[in-house]
Amino acid sequence: MTDPHPLIPNMRLDELLSELQTRLTAVLATRDRVHTLLEAVVSIGSDLQLEVVLRRIVETAVRLVDAGYGALGVIGEESTLLEFIPVGLSEEEIAKIEHWPHGLGLLGLLIKEPAPLRLARISDHPESYGFPPGHPPMGSFLGVPIRVREEVFGNLYLTEKRGGAEFDEEDQAVVTALATAAGVAIENARLYEETRRREIWLQASTEVTTSLLSGEDVDTVLTQVARRVREMADADVTTILFPAGDALRVVIAEGADGLIGTRAELTGSLPGQAYVSGEPHMVSDLGTSDIGAAAAVPLGAAGSVRGVLSLGKRPGRFPFTPSMLRMLHAFAGQAAIALELAEVRQDAERLSLLEDRDRIAKDLHDVVIQRLFAVAMTLMSTVRLVEHPEASGRLRHAIDELDETIRQIRSTIFALQVPRDEAEPSLRARIVDLVESARGHLGFMPGLRLEGPLDNAVPAPVAAHVLAVLQEALSNLVRHAKASRADVSAEVTGGQIILLVEDNGIGLPGDGRRSGLRNLEERASQLGGTFQADAPDTGGTRLTWSAPLTPSVQP
């Protein structure tokens, strides 16, 4: 007898085979997804540059769950988004967004409650804050925190699953697994960058200290400091500023042209805050078109800040971290100590030079001048024994030459004993400059005699009057005297300075007009000194101006 239902077993078998095929397809899809996840874990751990790692994490998450957009928000110390790394937006779309999210609404909820969050529509959640102006609309949402050890480093945000579908539990599990691997990759990148920066920091500290203490030019070393700091902090611009009046002035700049000489106010600027407080400062966004993240570190401790080391990054780059700021502060402190040691070394060298000058001056005074004086005395006693007029005249001339040589040596002794400041020429040097500058107008070089401690005995106010009087006297000599010879003498003696200007010109005007000399007389009167203009027996004009070294200023 034949079976009336021969197809029933076959139908049951087909159902089982179909179910098996469906499960096999799911297993294969899961296998492929696991393989993709493993490849993603390997991919994000294959680079040790933190910024590259972070962007690669977002790109991998978007690809794993087939999202339209993704982002990674790095959480700052004040529970706000320190950095926002988007994926899926074009340059045009990014340019339209008024500002990146600050960590409010749903993003703020993930910061306060770091746990996975999955939504069919973002706008349906009561914590939804809305998007910044210019932000494209987004519907489905998946947020997963990234932990580095016990610290919540940031959050992964994924939106707009393709095809209009919602993110499911499997998507959440995959992204959570990726976030765990991302935490390890971020920690490795952090450790690598910190180790690399410490190596650069130690090497830079050694180089800077060695260069300064070996006598290398300070500006060259400061340029080296700026270059090393820029490398260590991965900054785009590094500057070093020093006080200039009521502001700070850029003296060294690395990474940008045209910054040297620019000023930063002590109030309102980031370098000014670091200089006044003696503490490092940083901001995640300076708000300019050229600089986003910025930091300023004082060179020296509070109360003895020498300058400021300032750093900046282009807008959109990862900001400076607190650990980086602490490292920069330590390096800047070492650089400040090295600068101070270099100044001490320079002071020691200057002291040694002055001691050598003092020794030479004593030798000139105690040995050379004494022997010349003895020779002059011998010649003076010999003059009486010489009957021939020409021979006695030559002896007297030789005695005069010895006296002049003694005066010049004494002038040299005073010059050797004065500490020379290259930034401020001495009174002696400025007198020489004035006399030499008159040479071109006169057609001859005036004679010049300088005696006494002009550089260290004449106070600055008196020195200013001396230079002004000499300038006026030389100007009158050029314009009116019609002389072929002139002599200038400046001498410190008896607690006063005496300036003498003498020429062989046409003399004072016969009508008695002395308007050109009234200013010289007034200057002497202001200081409690004297002024006299007369005509020597040999003709010409003689101006004698004197002032006490401790003037009693007249009203």
Side-chain angles (χ1 to χ4, degrees):
M1 181 177 177
T2 61
D3 188 351
H5 305 289
L7 297 179
I8 291 178
N10 292 338
M11 292 176 62
R12 180 63 179 165
L13 180 60
D14 289 343
E15 289 177 1
L16 293 174
L17 287 173
S18 177
E19 183 180 350
L20 178 61
Q21 185 175 5
T22 301
R23 292 187 179 184
L24 183 59
T25 302
V27 170
L28 291 175
T30 303
R31 184 201 64 180
D32 292 342
R33 204 164 196 183
V34 170
H35 285 172
T36 304
L37 178 61
L38 291 175
E39 290 175 359
V41 170
V42 173
S43 174
I44 63 176
S46 62
D47 203 295
L48 290 175
Q49 290 188 2
L50 185 57
E51 292 189 41
V52 175
V53 169
L54 296 180
R55 180 162 293 278
R56 190 170 291 176
I57 289 170
V58 186
E59 293 171 346
T60 303
V62 168
R63 187 171 65 253
L64 280 173
V65 298
D66 201 22
Y69 304 102
L72 192 154
V74 181
I75 301 175
E77 290 186 329
E78 299 179 356
S79 297
T80 58
L81 291 181
L82 189 66
E83 180 75 359
F84 198 79
I85 304 170
V87 169
L89 295 172
S90 65
E91 292 294 331
E92 292 77 11
E93 289 175 316
I94 292 175
K96 292 178 182 177
I97 300 175
E98 186 174 297
H99 61 82
W100 289 121
H102 298 305
L104 304 174
L106 284 178
L107 306 190
L109 178 63
L110 275 172
I111 294 173
K112 292 183 289 186
E113 301 175 8
L117 178 64
R118 184 160 43 93
L119 300 170
R121 291 189 61 81
I122 296 175
S123 59
D124 294 340
H125 196 280
E127 292 284 342
S128 179
Y129 188 80
F131 297 105
H135 197 288
M138 295 180 181
S140 56
F141 176 83
L142 175 59
V144 176
I146 298 176
R147 297 180 184 271
V148 178
R149 297 184 180 180
E150 299 302 320
E151 169 198 0
V152 178
F153 176 82
N155 291 304
L156 265 175
Y157 309 116
L158 302 162
T159 62
E160 288 295 284
K161 189 174 177 68
R162 298 185 189 280
E166 299 177 12
F167 295 105
D168 54 25
E169 292 184 3
E170 190 175 344
D171 292 330
Q172 181 176 319
V174 169
V175 176
T176 301
L178 177 68
T180 303
V184 176
I186 291 170
E187 177 69 5
N188 290 338
R190 273 179 162 183
L191 292 173
Y192 169 75
E193 290 199 359
E194 186 173 349
T195 302
R196 182 179 64 87
R197 284 169 178 156
R198 286 189 181 278
E199 289 178 356
I200 297 174
W201 174 50
L202 291 173
Q203 185 180 1
S205 297
T206 303
E207 289 178 358
V208 168
T209 303
T210 302
S211 299
L212 282 171
L213 297 183
S214 63
E216 196 165 340
D217 180 64
V218 173
D219 285 346
T220 303
V221 178
L222 289 177
T223 302
Q224 182 182 3
V225 168
R227 188 180 302 117
R228 278 298 201 174
V229 166
R230 183 184 172 200
E231 177 185 358
M232 180 172 61
D234 194 23
D236 294 309
V237 180
T238 304
T239 59
I240 297 178
L241 304 91
F242 286 103
D246 57 351
L248 296 171
R249 179 177 176 273
V250 176
V251 296
I252 302 293
E254 277 290 315
D257 297 327
L259 289 179
I260 294 179
T262 57
R263 295 164 66 88
E265 299 300 324
L266 292 178
T267 56
S269 70
L270 196 65
Q273 294 176 22
Y275 180 80
V276 173
S277 66
E279 296 293 334
H281 288 72
M282 69 175 183
V283 294
S284 57
D285 188 1
L286 198 60
T288 68
S289 59
D290 300 325
I291 300 296
V297 182
L299 289 170
S304 59
V305 178
R306 310 171 66 85
V308 175
L309 183 63
S310 179
L311 305 91
K313 291 185 179 183
R314 294 188 306 272
R317 291 199 58 201
F318 196 73
F320 300 102
T321 62
S323 60
M324 168 55 63
L325 196 65
R326 288 191 293 269
M327 186 180 296
L328 289 171
H329 193 198
F331 176 76
Q334 278 197 321
I337 292 173
L339 286 171
E340 188 171 348
L341 290 175
E343 287 187 1
V344 171
R345 178 187 55 79
Q346 291 176 350
D347 289 341
E349 291 177 353
R350 190 178 296 111
L351 179 61
S352 177
L353 176 62
L354 292 176
E355 288 175 347
D356 286 342
R357 288 181 177 179
D358 190 55
R359 177 182 53 80
I360 294 171
K362 287 180 179 178
D363 290 343
L364 287 173
H365 182 272
D366 297 341
V367 178
V368 178
I369 287 183
Q370 296 301 325
R371 296 189 66 176
L372 289 175
F373 185 75
V375 171
M377 293 296 292
T378 302
L379 292 176
M380 288 179 65
S381 62
T382 306
V383 170
R384 298 194 304 270
L385 305 177
V386 177
E387 297 180 355
H388 196 284
E390 183 177 353
S392 63
R394 289 184 178 182
L395 282 175
R396 289 190 178 89
H397 179 71
I399 293 169
D400 293 339
E401 288 295 320
L402 285 173
D403 288 340
E404 181 61 27
T405 301
I406 290 173
R407 281 194 293 269
Q408 290 180 359
I409 292 175
R410 282 178 175 164
S411 179
T412 302
I413 290 172
F414 288 125
L416 285 171
Q417 291 175 333
V418 175
R420 296 183 180 177
D421 184 359
E422 290 79 4
E424 183 67 29
S426 65
L427 175 60
R428 186 183 300 268
R430 296 173 73 177
I431 290 175
V432 171
D433 288 342
L434 282 177
V435 173
E436 288 184 347
S437 65
R439 178 179 186 175
H441 301 287
L442 291 171
F444 61 89
M445 179 65 186
L448 179 62
R449 184 169 63 88
L450 304 174
E451 290 194 40
L454 289 166
D455 292 331
N456 59 354
V458 182
V462 177
H465 282 281
V466 170
L467 294 171
V469 168
L470 179 58
Q471 178 72 48
E472 180 71 20
L474 291 174
S475 177
N476 290 336
L477 178 62
V478 170
R479 289 181 297 172
H480 308 301
K482 299 181 181 180
S484 60
R485 180 184 61 79
D487 293 291
V488 176
S489 169
E491 179 182 7
V492 171
T493 180
Q496 63 178 347
I497 181 170
I498 301 174
L499 180 65
L500 178 66
V501 180
E502 190 173 1
D503 66 73
N504 64 348
I506 60 175
L508 294 172
D511 57 5
R513 287 185 292 112
R514 301 168 60 90
S515 57
L517 305 177
R518 188 176 299 113
N519 185 37
L520 308 186
E521 186 173 0
E522 289 176 355
R523 287 183 179 275
S525 177
Q526 288 177 12
L527 299 176
T530 61
F531 172 71
Q532 182 178 358
D534 56 14
D537 296 337
T538 56
T541 304
R542 178 170 56 205
L543 306 179
T544 307
W545 186 94
S546 67
L549 299 179
T550 54
S552 55
V553 179
Q554 303 296 321

